Amino acid sequence: MQQHPLRSMIDGYSLKGDLMPKIISILPDVEIVFSLPSGKIIENKSIIYLLAHYIGATVKLDDINRAQLFSLEGEMKDLVLIINHSDFIFLTDQEFEKKSLETKTFMQPD
């Protein structure tokens, strides 16, 4: 089985397993959703830039700094990041799970 090209790009970085991003979803050329351990955003900025570049988007250092501060202020295990061409969104893992459940419930047919 062939490995996803994004996974091989990420594997090129020598990070410890607990710092690796957990990819939640990829829509090529559109959006990528992944999580990182809270407080480890700055250490992973190269990967964040790489993931954004993979879908053709850019991320500003200010956005990464804001995500880092947000993750340090909240008591969370992981921070979920959503990158697309117009936004860099970060949510607590609980907020993301809640939104995912709401979306699935909303989309189910009657």
Side-chain angles (χ1 to χ4, degrees):
M1 183 187 303
Q2 189 173 7
Q3 187 179 42
H4 191 283
L6 185 58
R7 174 53 58 195
S8 61
M9 288 167 39
I10 290 172
D11 287 344
Y13 283 85
S14 59
L15 291 176
K16 296 178 182 163
D18 61 340
L19 290 181
M20 287 299 287
K22 296 177 184 91
I23 297 172
I24 297 168
S25 119
I26 301 171
L27 296 173
D29 301 320
V30 178
E31 180 179 84
I32 187 161
V33 181
F34 61 100
S35 68
L36 286 168
S38 177
K40 302 295 182 187
I41 312 306
I42 297 294
E43 294 91 331
N44 285 283
K45 68 182 175 192
S46 295
I47 287 185
I48 295 170
Y49 289 134
L50 179 67
L51 293 171
H53 179 72
Y54 179 75
I55 63 160
T58 56
V59 173
K60 298 175 188 155
L61 182 58
D62 285 349
D63 291 333
I64 292 174
N65 289 335
R66 285 186 309 120
Q68 176 78 358
L69 291 173
F70 177 77
S71 73
L72 291 172
E73 288 172 3
E75 293 183 16
M76 64 189 90
K77 180 180 176 193
D78 295 312
L79 180 69
V80 176
L81 296 109
I82 303 169
I83 300 173
N84 58 42
H85 292 273
S86 58
D87 289 316
F88 178 84
I89 301 166
F90 43 89
L91 306 163
T92 66
D93 45 357
Q94 295 90 359
E95 288 173 323
F96 180 75
E97 287 175 23
K98 182 179 176 187
K99 285 183 183 241
S100 295
L101 289 173
E102 288 171 357
T103 303
K104 287 179 185 174
T105 304
F106 179 74
M107 295 180 71
Q108 289 179 350
D110 291 331

